[in-house]
Amino acid sequence: MAVREIVLIGDPILRQKAHPVERFDPELRTLVRDMIETMRQAQGVGLAAPQVGVRKRVLVFEIPVDEDDEMSSSVPPSPWIGKPFALVNPEILEASQEMEEGIEGCLSIPGYVGEVRRHVRVVVQGRNEWGKPRRIEAEGFLARVLQHEIDHLNGILYVDRLESRDKLYKLEEEEETAAPA
Ligand code: NI
């Protein structure tokens, strides 16, 4: 396993559409392991392959149990919280009409957060790193992270979705970037 370098805004790869994964091979699993290690080291909650310079439709996420009160108190608790997961070739199958604003950061845009409107609930389908189908019914913070990461695979950054420039906030140096993705 290795921590990889995170690509920052301005790098063209963040603006390109990533390619579907065709082979679920050891190289893919190494990428996933490295992405999880990189995300953890950067204290992020999600990471997309273009953010480590790899133009493939792969994302990882790890939502802390206490990150979303609504979800952690839901019964039964979401199986997608509290552990790292990979999603390969993800597609959003369904998205709620209902939207909500929330604060997002991005590991590729250090020092800033923004208030972004996202679907409250999404159903996402993809595969795990072994090629096994994976279907995630997500709401709240997890739904937000998945939308953020799938945007990365399409060359979209959260700053593109801000309703106005004054929804972007610069962090003070000592402030932590709250749960960037
Ligand atoms: Ni991001």
Side-chain angles (χ1 to χ4, degrees):
M1 298 229 287
V3 171
R4 301 199 186 186
E5 196 179 329
I6 295 176
V7 165
L8 299 181
I9 188 168
D11 190 305
I13 197 168
L14 293 177
R15 294 317 199 164
Q16 292 167 342
K17 210 169 147 74
H19 302 298
V21 169
E22 280 162 17
R23 290 184 12 209
F24 291 80
D25 57 8
E27 189 193 328
L28 174 67
R29 289 183 283 280
T30 298
L31 172 65
V32 164
R33 280 197 303 273
D34 287 356
M35 285 174 63
I36 289 169
E37 194 176 347
T38 304
M39 169 179 68
R40 284 179 159 173
Q41 203 227 237
Q43 296 183 297
V45 292
L47 190 70
Q51 291 182 280
V52 292
V54 177
R55 202 174 164 189
K56 287 185 181 166
R57 302 188 76 78
V58 178
L59 65 84
V60 298
F61 63 92
E62 183 172 24
I63 312 292
V65 173
D66 59 357
E67 191 64 58
D68 194 307
D69 289 337
E70 218 178 338
M71 292 202 73
S72 50
S73 63
S74 67
V75 182
S78 170
W80 305 105
I81 302 291
K83 279 189 293 184
F85 293 99
L87 203 51
V88 180
N89 299 340
E91 305 280 351
I92 295 178
L93 294 184
E94 293 170 37
S96 65
Q97 292 273 320
E98 192 187 346
M99 312 274 288
E100 68 184 357
E101 275 200 328
I103 293 285
E104 284 177 33
C106 181
L107 293 172
S108 296
I109 312 175
Y112 290 86
V113 293
E115 228 171 319
V116 188
R117 268 170 73 77
R118 298 283 188 189
H119 300 284
V120 175
R121 283 172 300 279
V122 289
V123 179
V124 177
Q125 182 175 275
R127 292 182 182 272
N128 70 8
E129 61 271 42
W130 299 90
K132 194 174 163 229
R134 184 164 258 184
R135 186 180 192 272
I136 302 179
E137 293 179 22
E139 68 175 285
F141 189 68
L142 173 59
R144 175 171 299 278
V145 170
L146 292 175
Q147 289 169 80
H148 178 116
E149 301 312 334
I150 290 170
D151 269 356
H152 272 301
L153 304 181
N154 294 320
I156 298 166
L157 301 173
Y158 82 82
V159 288
D160 305 335
R161 296 199 180 274
L162 298 175
E163 281 170 6
S164 70
R165 178 63 212 248
D166 55 10
K167 302 261 181 180
L168 183 68
Y169 310 106
K170 195 166 174 24
L171 296 170
E172 300 299 326
E173 248 169 63
E174 65 274 15
E175 271 182 287
E176 278 210 11
T177 311

